[in-house]
Amino acid sequence: MKTALERFAERAVAEDLLDVAYTTTDSPFGPLLVATTPRGLVRVSLPAYDAGETLEELAAKISPRVLEAPARLDEVRRQLDLYFDGRLHDFDLPLDWQLSRGFRRRALRAIGRIPYGKTRSYTQIARSAGNERAVRAAGTACGANPIPIVVPCHRVLRTGGALGGYGGGLPMKEALLEMEGALARDRSQT
């Protein structure tokens, strides 16, 4: 038997009144809030972030028509589960880039092309985004990444191989890199 909320969500979808669908999904690091628009995945909020603030941000920057609709994110959750199980190396999801603009968007697209198990430096990302002197801006793009894990900013390191920062915390960044086999490989090459 469907709950009133489930019926409401179905009706909102049927009447094209839902601009942002969201749900939470488990990860080895805690719950992730994931959100999608008709264009694609727009937000992955890491466990270190407040879900209420993320929903307020989505309502302010995209549309106030935000509703929990887990079924709309089944494929996102499935691919994240496979990734965390080590069985998925490349996400195949449509992405909605509207929360990023200009250089940040170009940097994030460059980050999205980093292969599983590999890393790049902030300098390499800046160069790929069209301005090799914009190293700090590349770091800012990583820090403002609205779609972490899927757009793998955890694969971006400081020149010389130091971890740098990560919105989910350095233990999470290190664990993701170890899971992908990137950390041991990169450190053995330095």
Side-chain angles (χ1 to χ4, degrees), residues 33 35 43-46 49-60:
L33 185 142
R43 189 77 169 91
V44 174
S45 187
L46 300 173
Y49 291 89
D50 180 86
E53 288 178 15
T54 299
L55 295 173
E56 287 176 19
E57 173 196 18
L58 292 169

Side-chain angles (χ1 to χ4, degrees), residues 2-19:
K2 293 182 182 175
T3 67
L5 185 57
E6 289 171 327
R7 288 190 307 274
F8 179 77
E10 285 178 357
R11 186 170 175 197
V13 170
E15 295 181 20
D16 200 26
L17 299 174
L18 179 60
D19 294 330

Side-chain angles (χ1 to χ4, degrees), residues 49-109:
Y49 291 89
D50 180 86
E53 288 178 15
T54 299
L55 295 173
E56 287 176 19
E57 173 196 18
L58 292 169
K61 292 184 177 179
I62 298 175
S63 168
R65 297 188 320 182
V66 177
L67 188 63
E68 187 169 15
R72 296 276 302 265
L73 290 128
D74 282 347
E75 182 61 16
V76 171
R77 291 184 297 168
R78 186 187 76 76
Q79 287 192 34
L80 283 166
D81 286 346
L82 289 171
Y83 170 77
F84 289 126
D85 285 344
R87 297 183 293 149
L88 179 79
H89 294 181
D90 298 305
F91 289 95
D92 184 21
L93 297 167
L95 302 178
D96 183 340
W97 297 96
Q98 70 177 298
L99 294 175
S100 302
R101 305 219 184 302
F103 180 83
R104 283 185 185 177
R105 183 182 291 182
R106 292 192 310 274
L108 291 173
R109 286 183 182 267

Side-chain angles (χ1 to χ4, degrees), residues 12 27 31 118 137 148 151 158 160 171 190:
S27 83
K118 303 289 184 184
V151 177
R158 289 184 177 170
T190 56

